[in-house]
Amino acid sequence: MAELVVRRLLIDLEAPFARHWCGGDPFRTAFFNALSMSFPVGEQFFIDAVRNGFKALAPEAQARFRDEVQGFVGQEATHRRLHGLYNAQLERFGLVNEWGPRAQARLALLEGADPRHALAITAANEHFTAIFAEWLLRHADAVLEGAEPRLRTLWLWHSAEESEHRSTAFDLYRALGGNEAWRRTWFRRVTLIFLGDTIRQTVANLRRDGTLWQWRTWRSAARHLFGRQGLVRHTFGPWRAYFRRDFHPAQQDDAASRAWLAVNAGQYTPVGARPAPVPD
Ligand SMILES: [Fe+2]
Ligand SMILES: [Fe+2]
């Protein structure tokens, strides 16, 4: 079982930041802002999925998972809270979160379903965030070049913790007897939905920003998505690995995440592994 530490980040997200906070680059700013908009709804869903999965376990298995589940819930709840502050600033820039309400409506369709469905969806999203996180941590100097220091810290801290808790939902799904066919089916569906939503919200942010049809926007998108250090090139292999029968999230590299947490210990204070009670 992974030991998941909840950390309080020592940054003030209530003080304003610049509209194009990511190095003055409209594309990178709009892309990260889009992802941030998905977190309050998405991470609440992950918390609920993991809590409900935990409740469905037999008592012996609950004892094995209790600390890890509490750490997972604490980490995701902290991410939600900070991204909520971040998103409040985006609203002041006139940006509109369309992703959150759309995701909420879609996820409501799962109410009453077997808790393993929500866990498989969570495990799929967690794989996405974990491989995105490793890419970002490894290429932070290019991808977050010139970024507002507080937001750089927020993204890298969030990434490190995503990498850290990448196995929790997957292990719960397995412990509840979740099968391989549904695990892959949900990963396929989550891939399409996640990519579609990311593109739609990024484009919506750029349109409201008035920078959608600028050459620099598309040049930056091409470079950061498809270039040598780009997202697609570095995450395609790890994305595909999820379909392997012997796949486990712990097989994914987490060296960059560990290194960031070690080097940046001055940016946060650990608040312990038991921040939020998990019902029995
Ligand atoms: Fe998170
Ligand atoms: Fe997560």
Side-chain angles (χ1 to χ4, degrees):
M1 295 284 108
E3 198 193 312
L4 301 175
V5 177
V6 180
R7 303 171 179 88
R8 182 175 303 126
L9 208 50
L10 304 174
I11 57 170
D12 173 16
L13 279 172
E14 280 166 273
F17 51 79
R19 179 182 195 83
H20 294 147
W21 60 265
C22 198
D25 179 336
F27 169 74
R28 283 185 287 145
T29 303
F31 176 69
F32 281 108
N33 290 350
L35 294 176
S36 182
M37 287 168 166
S38 78
F39 293 143
V41 169
E43 296 188 310
Q44 186 60 52
F45 177 81
F46 306 154
I47 289 170
D48 293 341
V50 163
R51 273 187 169 148
N52 290 335
F54 177 81
K55 281 193 254 174
L57 286 172
E60 322 81 72
Q62 283 191 345
R64 220 161 21 93
F65 273 96
R66 179 164 283 124
D67 285 353
E68 181 172 347
V69 165
Q70 284 176 344
F72 177 94
V73 169
Q75 288 190 342
E76 293 293 36
T78 313
H79 302 166
R80 275 193 86 230
R81 197 174 60 74
L82 291 197
H83 280 275
L85 295 174
Y86 171 175
N87 293 352
Q89 303 247 17
L90 301 181
E91 269 178 46
R92 278 177 231 138
F93 295 140
L95 301 178
V96 178
N97 185 348
E98 291 157 6
W99 187 342
R102 194 164 56 233
Q104 194 129 43
R106 216 184 275 133
L107 294 171
L109 301 174
L110 286 164
E111 258 170 51
D114 185 310
R116 288 175 292 191
H117 285 301
L119 270 179
I121 293 167
T122 302
N125 276 286
E126 290 286 312
H127 184 57
F128 255 94
T129 48
I131 62 181
F132 176 83
E134 277 299 302
W135 167 74
L136 184 59
L137 285 159
R138 279 176 194 281
H139 301 98
D141 288 344
V143 185
L144 291 170
E145 187 192 1
E148 156 71 44
R150 285 172 295 156
L151 291 182
R152 179 186 167 98
T153 301
L154 172 76
W155 280 105
L156 297 180
W157 158 80
H158 191 167
S159 294
E161 293 194 348
E162 286 305 323
S163 182
E164 214 176 26
H165 71 223
R166 66 195 183 282
S167 299
T168 307
F170 187 97
D171 286 340
L172 271 172
Y173 179 73
R174 282 264 168 93
L176 286 166
N179 70 30
E180 285 296 285
W182 274 112
R183 180 175 77 79
R184 291 190 196 133
T185 298
W186 277 119
F187 189 60
R188 240 176 253 119
R189 291 181 188 171
V190 164
T191 296
L192 293 174
I193 292 169
F194 185 82
L195 293 181
D197 280 336
T198 305
I199 293 167
R200 283 171 78 175
Q201 188 66 56
T202 302
V203 167
N205 290 350
L206 287 165
R207 188 174 285 128
R208 289 206 169 86
D209 187 42
T211 47
L212 178 60
W213 298 114
Q214 290 181 3
W215 169 238
R216 62 177 173 149
T217 297
W218 291 83
R219 195 177 46 202
S220 172
R223 176 171 166 228
H224 293 289
L225 298 179
F226 304 109
R228 229 165 8 100
Q229 303 202 63
L231 180 63
V232 173
R233 180 179 297 222
H234 290 273
T235 55
F236 181 71
W239 170 81
R240 203 174 41 184
Y242 198 86
F243 291 104
R244 284 201 326 252
R245 181 163 285 279
D246 65 348
F247 171 81
H248 188 278
Q251 295 157 353
Q252 300 297 307
D253 192 9
D254 65 352
S257 152
R258 286 170 188 274
W260 190 90
L261 290 169
V263 171
N264 292 279
Q267 306 260 31
Y268 57 80
T269 48
V271 291
R274 289 181 178 76
V278 175
D280 286 322

